[in-house]
Amino acid sequence: MTNTAPKSIVIIFGATGDLANRKLYPSIYNLYTKGKLSEDFAVIGVARRPLKNEEFQENVRNSVAGQFEEQRNDIEKFSKLFYYHPFNVNDTASYRELKVIAEKLDSTYNTGGNRIFYLAMAPEFFGTIAVNLKTEGLTSTEGYTRLVIEKPFGHNLPSAKQLNEQLRHAFSEDEIYRIDHYLGKEMVQNIEVIRFANAIFEPLWNNRYISNIQVTSSEVLGVEDRGGYYEKSGALRDMVQNHMLQMVALLAMEPPIKLNTDEIRSEKIKVLRALRPLEEEDVKKYFVRGQYDAGTINGKNVPGYRQEEKVDPNSNTATFVAGKLIIDNFRWAGVPFYIRTGKRMKEKSTKIVVQFKDIPMDLYYREENDRQNPNLLVINIQPDEGITLYLNAKRPGQNTMTLPVKLDYCNNCIDGINTPEAYEKLIFDCMMGDTTNFAHWDEVALSWRYVDSISKVWENQIATEFPNYPSGSNGPKAADELLAEDGFHWWSVED
Ligand code: BG6
């Protein structure tokens, strides 16, 4: 497979926004410096603000330069590939003007009409833009047309369906790239490799040998300036519907018969279909919600969620979710998948812990009367990237005592391995026409169906216990009790 993307024009909607500046321009620049972009390539940025091309290019330069400590000489040349068009999403004339610019650049850069439309803006405009792109002729080109769409993809199943129908007016499923940036993370992509390229794991990867799997994604940051959005989403829609369920699907899927998009997606979809549906009683029993209170993080006092900007002082929104997922299939019957995610927690960390079953007899002890640890496989997604296998070995000088040992592989510690940012990989995949690491509509719909059954219960019941965890902690106690009831506990880094 060639390592250079085919020629194309990328049209970014929301070109002056935070995502474009923080993630998209630096990622496109990295592709540029690695020679992964075609020579025939340009970007049109569109947004409401009336900017001139030169001003926009200046923005792009600043956003890219801000990512590096040292001076980069090629940023100036890179920024010349960027053009700007002030835009009103509701005005069809704007689309017609954009079409003229795109056609002109098609011929200047010889891009054969290949166009990627990247929607990096407020989700309420996604549908309108897609429909207008079609009706105003922007999708009628000789080349390929693709739509990249950021989350949130709706706020529940009915709204996601409606949005999907609008998008499908203009783009086929194959042309829609629904971003879940977790799928671009190096170690999330590594889950499949660890499982399917190692004879020592796959035979054990089932309910005979695994007792439970824990997926944690904790953040130190609060809602920052996104209170308006977060009030309506909460941790359930913001993290569980997409990132957490995607990781569960990758951990639980069957080996695909081929390593291609359709086969991988179809195995993931089967996992989501096998999630045991939740009745109201199950939600109460198996799901825990939390909201952060004021607290101390890294020695600094931080406010509670209800004191954040654009947040209702009596807000019922959860900033933390923990849950026990049950997958009803042959492989996983009886193995709980625990998930946990929250803002303003003790540390920024995403990791997966696979806990193997205890060996049948305690021949050895760790300490007097203290059982040895079970074997654990830890997949560190971020900030550390790597895998750690916890084994038990003989305690030196002792005959019957064991010592826990760690076999560590650290991906981002090896000199010369500079793992690309998720967005860099996803933008490149899209240019290459590879939808594997994007969410298929069926995955989105099934995840919403699952999450909706939880939000329906929570929205109808005021969380009188909120706020129920201090900033800088590991979340509410009930999340620990959830595992304790099954005889487990959350494994933390220090264990
Ligand atoms: C985003 C959420 O999808 O993921 C944010 O909207 C969250 O609220 C972010 O902070 C976490 O991503 P990462 O890559 O920092 O774990």
Side-chain angles (χ1 to χ4, degrees), residues 2 50 52 120 125-126 129 131-132 134 140 171 194-195 256 309 322 353 378 410 412 428 433 495:
T2 156
K52 300 216 167 56
F125 301 120
F126 290 168
I129 295 175
V131 170
N132 284 335
K134 176 159 174 99
S140 315
F171 297 89
I194 293 165
R195 287 190 52 194
E309 250 177 70
V353 180
V378 180
C410 173
N412 53 351
F428 184 69
D495 288 311

Side-chain angles (χ1 to χ4, degrees), residues 2-247:
T2 156
N3 221 10
T4 309
K7 48 197 181 181
S8 61
I9 288 184
V10 178
I11 303 177
I12 300 180
F13 294 78
T16 53
D18 188 53
L19 179 76
N21 282 311
R22 268 190 323 115
K23 302 281 188 194
L24 305 188
Y25 304 145
S27 299
I28 297 173
Y29 172 74
N30 285 341
L31 292 171
Y32 173 80
T33 55
K34 291 177 186 167
K36 289 183 148 189
L37 293 182
S38 159
E39 299 273 302
D40 304 314
F41 173 83
V43 176
I44 309 175
V46 306
R48 207 143 18 135
R49 251 176 256 177
L51 289 182
K52 300 216 167 56
N53 274 350
E54 295 69 36
E55 291 170 305
F56 177 50
Q57 291 172 354
E58 172 83 37
N59 279 359
V60 172
R61 284 196 289 275
N62 291 340
S63 108
V64 174
Q67 309 279 321
F68 300 99
E69 277 169 17
E70 76 285 2
Q71 166 118 8
R72 295 285 180 120
N73 295 327
D74 51 359
I75 293 181
E76 176 80 25
K77 190 166 165 223
F78 170 73
S79 71
K80 300 287 183 229
L81 300 172
F82 287 70
Y83 298 80
Y84 187 76
H85 176 54
F87 195 77
N88 175 351
V89 285
N90 292 313
D91 180 5
T92 50
S94 270
Y95 293 83
R96 289 196 291 277
E97 288 156 16
L98 180 60
K99 181 167 185 258
V100 173
I101 299 171
E103 280 167 359
K104 202 163 135 220
L105 292 179
D106 271 348
S107 75
T108 313
Y109 287 90
N110 180 33
T111 50
N114 290 341
R115 287 181 195 163
I116 295 175
F117 302 97
Y118 197 123
L119 309 192
M121 56 183 316
E124 57 265 34
F125 301 120
F126 290 168
T128 314
I129 295 175
V131 170
N132 284 335
L133 286 175
K134 176 159 174 99
T135 51
E136 300 313 314
L138 276 126
T139 53
S140 315
T141 77
E142 300 271 287
Y144 66 67
T145 52
R146 296 178 187 149
L147 180 77
V148 184
I149 181 160
E150 281 290 335
K151 63 179 272 266
F153 199 93
H155 61 272
N156 54 19
L157 182 56
S159 60
K161 263 190 187 154
Q162 193 186 11
L163 170 60
N164 201 48
E165 275 159 24
Q166 283 178 304
L167 302 186
R168 292 296 302 274
H169 270 305
F171 297 89
S172 67
E173 176 63 32
D174 290 351
E175 293 171 329
I176 303 176
Y177 292 69
R178 297 178 194 81
I179 294 254
D180 183 317
H181 77 282
Y182 268 56
L183 295 179
K185 289 187 192 283
E186 186 68 19
M187 287 309 294
V188 172
Q189 296 188 353
N190 218 331
I191 295 174
E192 278 174 72
V193 185
I194 293 165
R195 287 190 52 194
F196 304 135
N198 289 298
I200 59 165
F201 292 131
E202 195 46 33
L204 306 183
W205 210 264
N206 55 50
N207 55 4
R208 285 180 66 195
Y209 300 103
I210 289 179
S211 75
N212 73 90
I213 295 186
Q214 307 176 5
V215 185
T216 300
S217 189
S218 61
E219 294 186 77
V220 169
L221 291 179
V223 285
E224 309 288 286
D225 52 2
R226 295 161 77 219
Y229 151 77
Y230 201 85
E231 271 289 88
K232 286 190 233 116
S233 85
L236 197 57
R237 295 184 169 107
D238 190 48
M239 293 291 291
V240 177
Q241 184 270 336
N242 37 57
H243 314 320
M244 304 302 281
L245 287 178
Q246 282 290 340
M247 286 191 281

Side-chain angles (χ1 to χ4, degrees), residues 455-475:
S455 40
K456 206 171 68 200
V457 176
W458 284 356
E459 275 160 17
N460 288 328
Q461 278 162 18
I462 306 267
T464 47
E465 70 276 27
F466 280 1
N468 59 351
Y469 70 98
S471 287
S473 71
N474 277 332

Side-chain angles (χ1 to χ4, degrees), residues 233-270:
S233 85
L236 197 57
R237 295 184 169 107
D238 190 48
M239 293 291 291
V240 177
Q241 184 270 336
N242 37 57
H243 314 320
M244 304 302 281
L245 287 178
Q246 282 290 340
M247 286 191 281
V248 168
L250 287 166
L251 286 163
M253 70 192 253
E254 293 299 313
I257 53 172
K258 276 205 187 97
L259 219 49
N260 65 26
T261 309
D262 287 348
E263 298 302 341
I264 294 172
R265 280 174 157 184
S266 103
E267 295 305 339
K268 283 167 67 192
I269 288 166
K270 278 192 221 155

